[in-house]
Amino acid sequence: MYSLLRLRPSHCRNGLRGSRRRNFAEQNCGCNAFSGLPENRRTVRGSHLLEVRQASINLLFLLGACAILLFSASCSPRHGALTRTQFLLGTVCSLTLYDTVRDDVFREAFDRVTGIERMMSLTIADSDISRVNAAAGTHPAAVSGETLELVRSALEFSRLSGGAFNAAVGPLAALWGIGTDHAAVPAREDIAAALLRTDYTKVSLDTAAGTIFLQEQGMALDLGAIAKGYAADEAARVIREAGIKRGIIDFGGNILLIGARPDGKPWRVGVQSPGAPRGEFLGVLTASDAAVVSSGVYERFFTGEDGQPYHHILDTATGFPVRNGLASVTVVTGSSRTADALSTTLFALGLQAGMKLAEETEGVQALFVTDDKKVYATSGMLAIFRLTDGEYTMDTLK
Amino acid sequence: MESRYVRLKALDRLAAGLSAAVTVFFFWFAYGGADGRALLYIQNESQSLVYPLSGDLDIPVSGPLGVTRIVIRGGAAAVTDSPCRDKLCVSMGHISGRGGWIACLPNRVFLKVDQDSPAGDADAAAY
């Protein structure tokens, strides 16, 4: 402190400007320029200098604190994220990645998804699935190991759900054409004929030969309820292998969360409110390293000539879109492939059976929303979901 | 007896005022302000466009089938016309909340609303 008192005050170093400062200097300064002032004025001058110094230190401290605040803010989820979007898998696919991200990572992840689309797509003539369907009833078709594995997984879900999820729904889905330019309510006899060709037990896999065979002509696989989830899992794998620890994969509303938010908290995922404009949420759930997938009546549908809406989740018992009082089902689990398939499965099973399956399946949380605006959650979902839409109420199964 | 209270001088007040102003600015910069605006991101096969949702705009966007017409009115965006057959994009209505999106897949046009999240908003949206 003593040394501070010995420094020259700033008004002496900088020169005197302005009459007020000059007056102050003339009254209080004891430096050489005003050496005629009494010695006992040095204490007053030193005290003033100390205050100036202290104020400067305070100012620097506070500016430093603000800089730290700014740095912290720069780490918030809104900053430092890069998003890339492509049209793939018949929808809009977005990758939002945090940390330091090379463009190569986006390209590699999208290339991986493109590769999956080339194998699994129904609209690409030489995809594995198209070739399997074209060879139905005549001969087995050679496919990649990946396609074989995903079809095996889809058949497991088909068995698990007793056909509520049906990997062989292709003929019925093609007949309805929901999501295409030719969507229409088919004739009942056409539906009946299509249903005869949706028996998933007549899909034969030969792992050793690497082939899939559909035993009856006219059968067709449709992996639309699982391939998008699988592609998200694979994109996440590519991203994680590149060292990215946080991000959001959004494939047409199928969400896969990588890590947690940059502030360490779980991601917040809004669940679409059925019937409301897209982006209006029923509620928000929090999760990290998890897939969040919804299936509902509101996403892909058309309005028939009878004025009724017809959605895309088809019941292979009736041949018509599932009508069981559910408006949507949202599944949270570790794998996007599982979440994708289970959301369709649980929806098709209905509230009671779907809730039972969800509660019995380890690591799966589910949210059921009914047409009469009631929301039912598995026990695990209750801990992570918060209802925000006042038109809906939480309820429990009796 | 010396007073226990520090008497603030002009520079102290200046330092405190300046620090408060800088702090408020940083909070505004980090958690609100310009970043809190709702923005409409439009993407087609060749370009990405960004518009504030606060204005009134008519935006024609070209795609392989023709022109998709997008409007921004009253803080919301919608597709009013597109050269696709089933017009699902038009039937989606208006979007205004963060994460809301509309896609015209046949014409390869994608709209998405994004904004920095005020408290209570979400990082992603599951449909």
Side-chain angles (χ1 to χ4, degrees), chain A residues 151 155 168 199-205 212-214 219 221:
Chain A
V151 171
L155 291 173
D199 185 352
Y200 63 89
T201 65
K202 293 181 177 174
V203 180
S204 303
L205 307 185
I212 300 174
F213 178 49
L214 306 181
M219 287 184 70
L221 294 173

Side-chain angles (χ1 to χ4, degrees), chain B residues 14-122:
Chain B
L14 178 66
L18 188 59
S19 299
V22 170
T23 303
V24 167
F25 169 76
F26 282 152
F27 264 107
W28 173 82
F29 180 81
Y31 300 109
D35 277 351
R37 288 186 309 167
L39 300 172
L40 179 68
Y41 292 80
I42 302 172
Q43 185 169 334
N44 66 2
E45 285 191 314
S46 59
Q47 58 183 338
S48 295
L49 308 165
V50 183
Y51 295 91
L53 264 186
S54 54
D56 287 347
L57 288 171
D58 296 299
I59 308 161
V61 180
S62 297
L65 301 181
V67 175
T68 296
R69 300 199 175 279
I70 297 163
V71 298
I72 298 176
R73 295 278 187 281
V79 175
T80 54
D81 191 27
S82 197
C84 51
R85 180 175 157 180
D86 54 0
K87 313 289 185 194
L88 282 176
C89 50
V90 178
S91 69
M92 293 305 297
H94 289 77
I95 51 171
S96 57
R98 187 187 184 208
W101 58 268
I102 298 172
C104 179
L105 292 175
N107 205 31
R108 318 293 275 180
V109 175
F110 172 53
L111 296 70
K112 183 176 184 182
V113 175
D114 205 352
Q115 65 186 110
D116 281 322
S117 53
D121 210 341

Side-chain angles (χ1 to χ4, degrees), chain A residues 16-167:
Chain A
L16 298 173
R17 291 186 296 273
S19 59
R20 190 172 178 183
R21 174 170 281 182
R22 188 174 295 113
N23 291 339
F24 171 83
E26 286 168 355
Q27 288 169 21
N28 298 303
C29 189
C31 63
N32 288 342
F34 302 94
S35 56
L37 290 172
E39 189 66 19
N40 60 3
R41 292 288 181 91
R42 286 180 184 275
T43 305
V44 176
R45 183 197 68 203
S47 172
H48 165 64
L49 184 59
L50 180 60
E51 288 165 4
V52 172
R53 282 272 155 179
Q54 192 62 51
S56 301
I57 290 168
N58 289 346
L59 179 61
L60 285 173
F61 176 80
L62 287 168
L63 286 172
C66 291
I68 292 168
L69 182 68
L70 178 63
F71 176 77
S72 303
S74 72
C75 296
S76 73
R78 280 163 275 156
H79 297 273
L82 285 174
T83 300
R84 298 283 186 275
T85 302
Q86 287 195 13
F87 295 98
L88 291 168
L89 303 167
T91 190
V92 178
C93 297
S94 293
L95 305 175
T96 300
L97 305 181
Y98 294 75
D99 308 317
T100 304
V101 185
R102 292 176 289 109
D103 266 349
D104 289 357
V105 178
F106 287 103
R107 185 176 48 74
E108 288 164 11
F110 280 127
D111 284 352
R112 183 75 187 91
V113 176
T114 304
I116 291 168
E117 183 178 35
R118 286 183 183 145
M119 288 184 280
M120 317 288 181
S121 173
L122 283 168
T123 57
I124 297 174
D126 63 347
S127 74
D128 283 354
I129 297 301
S130 292
R131 288 186 298 99
V132 168
N133 291 346
T138 59
H139 61 273
V143 298
S144 67
E146 266 185 86
T147 302
L148 198 69
E149 172 53 29
L150 193 62
V151 171
R152 185 192 311 283
S153 181
L155 291 173
E156 283 172 8
F157 279 107
S158 303
R159 279 187 284 272
L160 178 72
S161 65
F165 177 100
N166 192 330

